[in-house]
Structures are given as structure tokens and as C-alpha cells.
Amino acid sequence: MPVGMTLTKFLHEEQRRHPDSSGNFTSLFSDLVTAAKIISREVRKAGLGGIIGAAGTKNVHGEEVQKLDELANEMFVRTMEHGGHLAAMASEEMDDIIHVDGRYPKGKYVLLFDPLDGSSNIDVNISVGTIFSILRVADGGNVTAKDFLKPGMEQVCAGYILYGSSTMLVYTTGHGVHGFTLDPSVGEFFLSHMDIKIPSSGKIFSINEGNSRHWLPGTVQYIDKIKSNGREMTARYVGSLVADFHRNLLKGGIFLYPADRKSTRGKLRLLYEANPLAFIVEQAGGAASTGEGRIMEVVPGELHQRTPLIIGSRADVEEAVSFLNAPVA
Ligand code: AHM
Ligand code: MG
């Protein structure tokens, strides 16, 4: 792996290697990296700024406090809107799509994002992250919510920024998955994980067992099986999808937020969470399923659609899906 390879340099080299990736895209991605650095800075000082608590409270200066997830949302929009490469955005935090302000030129991409995934973990200093997905649109001047309702296979780029023990950016444009770590003293992301491949199976399973009373029989049988078949599985569940996913991507294993009797369509959002992570995991050699089919092939019906998500090492996902689909005995 090349030493001292910055994300900016890597993006330019990728652009040269893959003639299908345009300069516009590289420039859009650079804006995104800037947004990532700004949010990372805010997350790092959240405990000092008094911005971890509920919105509507006042900080020591008597100013209105914004919750960190709302702040991250606003910073993402503000940093991205004037670059000239986006036609519109959609955020997990906002009901409707966000049109690029008329003062700025419109581009041919749309950006979907979850500004701060795992927001229930912010107050307790556990890793959170930003997840993003980029689609190309035919007519940037005339974008509607329908332009966002594309199956995951149409993503041109997806990634996440994890604000963990270090800040990492992991992304794919369909040419493998690469990870970069922010060196805060230099203010640059450096290549730290080149061409990430997820192990074909792993020992980790991640599921909220507190929901077990709502589970469908297939989920019960699958979890019973992996706990008792001598494979020495270990449970890990942080409750920030992006953190649980990242760990399993590097170590191998499976994450499940299946449909159950309480959340009949699952909990996680197809466009902001499942699709981008599905693109990444497939590029890393893994798999992502709704329990019935490939996540990347689901045709969305609405912006904030939920989906069951079973994602991780390919063999583990295939095994889980065979249980979830099994006829009830
Ligand atoms: P959020 O986007 O509002 O933070 O919600 C999504 C989060 C995921 O990060 C995480 O995997 C999941 O919700 C945890 O849900 P639960 O607490 O039901 O296990
Ligand atoms: Mg989320």
C-alpha cells in the first residue's frame, strides 16, 4: 500500500484509471470530504460545545443549541449545495428532498445521506457515522423525489464516515472498497485500508436480542443454530449501524435487523442506510439481503422506506437467509 497517499491524490489517480469517472464527480467527492472533516471536528468537541443534548436548550453563551444530528445535517447541506455538481439532496433527517438553492448552479448528481447514524449513541460517546449514496440523474434542472427512487444497483458511489477511535472514510465507486483515516494534525485523509475484502464467513453476529420476543420463527431458529453449532460465534452490537457494519466488514460476520412482528418492514432505511452499505459489502465480496431478495435490487416506493437488512460475509448471509425463508415447521 502506498505510504502518504491522500484521499485527494487517490481520487485523481482513480479518475485517470477509470475513464468513466468524470472530473465533476471527483470534485463533488472533494466537497463531501470537506463536509466529513467539518462534521468530524464537531463530533470530536461535542461534549464541550453542549450540543449533545436535546434541541431547544441554551448553551453557556445563551445561544440556542442544535442537536448534533441536526447540526451535521445542516453542515452537510451547506457544504455540498454550492459545489455546482448536485441537483438536489435527500436526508434521513428531512421529510422532503432538498433542492439546491437557486443562487447555485445545478449538477447531474443527487446525494442521499444519513447525517449522523446511531444518533442515540451521541450522548454516551459511542461511535456514530455519516452514510452517503450518490446517484446520477438525467435532468439536473428538473429533479423530483422520483429521481431518488432508484434501486441500489444504480448508485455511482456510496460510503460512510465513521467517527470512532479515529475518523475513517470508506467508499466505493464500483471499483473495490477503500478506507482512509483522518490524520487530525495534518487535516487529511490518508489511505489506510486498500481494496477491503470481507472474510467469506466470520464469528461475529450482530442483532438486537432485546427484540427476540418479536422475532419470526426463522430468525429464532437461525440465532439458535449459530449459537449451538460449535462455531464459537460471538455477539457484538453497538447500536450504531455504521459502527457495527464497519467492524463486521473488517473482521467478518453478519448484521441482522430483520422484519419482525413489531417492525414488519424492518427498521432501517433503504435509501440512506441499506443501499449504500449493500453496495460497499458487495464490492468487498459480501452480501446484503432483505431476507427475501438482494437489497440492491429493491425498487423503492418512497424516500423514507424501511427495509429488513441482513448484511455481511457472503456465506453467513446465505445461511441466515435460508433460515428466514424456511417454511414454518
Ligand atoms: P438512526 O439513524 O436514527 O440513528 O437509527 C438507526 C440505528 C442504527 O444505527 C442501528 O443499527 C439501529 O438504529 C439500532 O436500532 P435498535 O436500537 O432498535 O437496535
Ligand atoms: Mg441511521
Side-chain angles (χ1 to χ4, degrees):
M1 190 165 57
V3 176
M5 171 68 83
T6 65
L7 178 51
T8 315
K9 188 151 185 257
F10 190 85
L11 286 169
H12 282 113
E13 292 202 356
E14 282 275 284
Q15 190 188 323
R16 258 206 309 276
R17 258 198 306 275
H18 303 290
D20 52 316
S21 63
S22 68
N24 281 343
F25 176 78
T26 307
S27 173
L28 162 64
F29 204 94
S30 300
D31 292 346
L32 204 144
V33 171
T34 304
K37 287 179 191 171
I38 294 172
I39 298 173
S40 177
R41 183 195 64 199
E42 295 305 317
V43 171
R44 296 290 172 221
K45 62 180 190 188
L48 295 171
I51 51 179
I52 55 177
T57 54
K58 298 227 159 112
N59 67 13
V60 287
H61 311 291
E63 298 156 343
E64 197 71 21
V65 168
Q66 234 183 339
K67 268 171 78 186
L68 195 53
D69 44 359
E70 290 169 9
L71 193 72
N73 184 67
E74 199 181 313
M75 284 174 170
F76 222 71
V77 174
R78 288 278 148 79
T79 313
M80 300 303 297
E81 69 179 347
H82 52 74
H85 307 297
L86 287 179
M89 292 171 254
S91 163
E92 201 199 83
E93 289 282 319
M94 316 280 283
D95 289 343
D96 298 317
I97 66 169
I98 309 150
H99 288 283
V100 168
D101 192 294
R103 287 174 293 168
Y104 307 120
K106 286 204 168 72
K108 56 182 180 176
Y109 295 99
V110 294
L111 171 71
L112 299 96
F113 61 98
D114 178 354
L116 221 47
D117 174 64
S119 39
S120 66
N121 278 326
I122 298 171
D123 293 4
V124 289
N125 215 351
I126 287 176
S127 303
V128 290
T130 301
I131 310 176
F132 61 89
S133 163
I134 299 172
L135 297 165
R136 200 179 275 120
V137 286
D139 178 6
N142 231 345
V143 176
T144 67
K146 265 176 89 177
D147 292 289
F148 291 80
L149 303 181
K150 303 274 169 58
M153 286 172 69
E154 292 194 23
Q155 294 171 102
V156 293
C157 175
Y160 57 84
I161 303 108
L162 177 63
Y163 314 106
S165 47
S166 53
T167 295
M168 265 197 85
L169 187 149
V170 175
Y171 83 99
T172 185
T173 53
H175 304 289
V177 179
H178 308 293
F180 295 78
T181 302
L182 182 64
D183 181 335
S185 63
V186 185
E188 282 279 7
F189 281 99
F190 288 98
L191 181 62
S192 53
H193 299 66
M194 194 167 171
D195 199 15
I196 297 171
K197 293 292 174 210
I198 186 168
S200 57
S201 71
K203 289 184 173 172
I204 296 171
F205 72 101
S206 313
I207 189 167
N208 185 344
E209 294 218 46
N211 291 332
S212 60
R213 67 192 182 286
H214 306 298
W215 286 352
L216 298 172
T219 309
V220 175
Q221 285 159 16
Y222 171 66
I223 297 298
D224 279 353
K225 156 91 192 308
I226 60 172
K227 282 178 174 176
S228 59
N229 68 358
R231 268 177 64 195
E232 306 234 355
M233 297 294 280
T234 187
R236 292 284 184 275
Y237 190 81
V238 173
S240 286
L241 172 64
V242 66
D244 280 315
F245 174 83
H246 182 71
R247 182 202 51 238
N248 292 5
L249 178 69
L250 297 186
K251 294 194 164 184
I254 185 165
F255 173 96
L256 304 97
Y257 212 116
D260 61 27
R261 288 194 196 88
K262 188 171 149 220
S263 310
T264 52
R265 300 181 68 186
K267 173 186 179 186
L268 300 170
R269 311 287 174 155
L270 176 63
L271 294 177
Y272 310 105
E273 294 168 323
N275 270 345
L277 299 186
F279 191 16
I280 290 169
V281 85
E282 286 195 5
Q283 283 291 313
S289 170
T290 61
E292 290 177 341
R294 190 176 163 214
I295 288 280
M296 296 270 277
E297 289 176 11
V298 176
V299 181
E302 49 177 328
L303 270 183
H304 294 282
Q305 184 167 324
R306 295 178 192 273
T307 180
L309 179 65
I310 294 93
I311 190 166
S313 295
R314 179 161 290 279
D316 295 334
V317 171
E318 282 169 1
E319 185 188 22
V321 169
S322 74
F323 276 83
L324 301 187
N325 279 329
V328 180

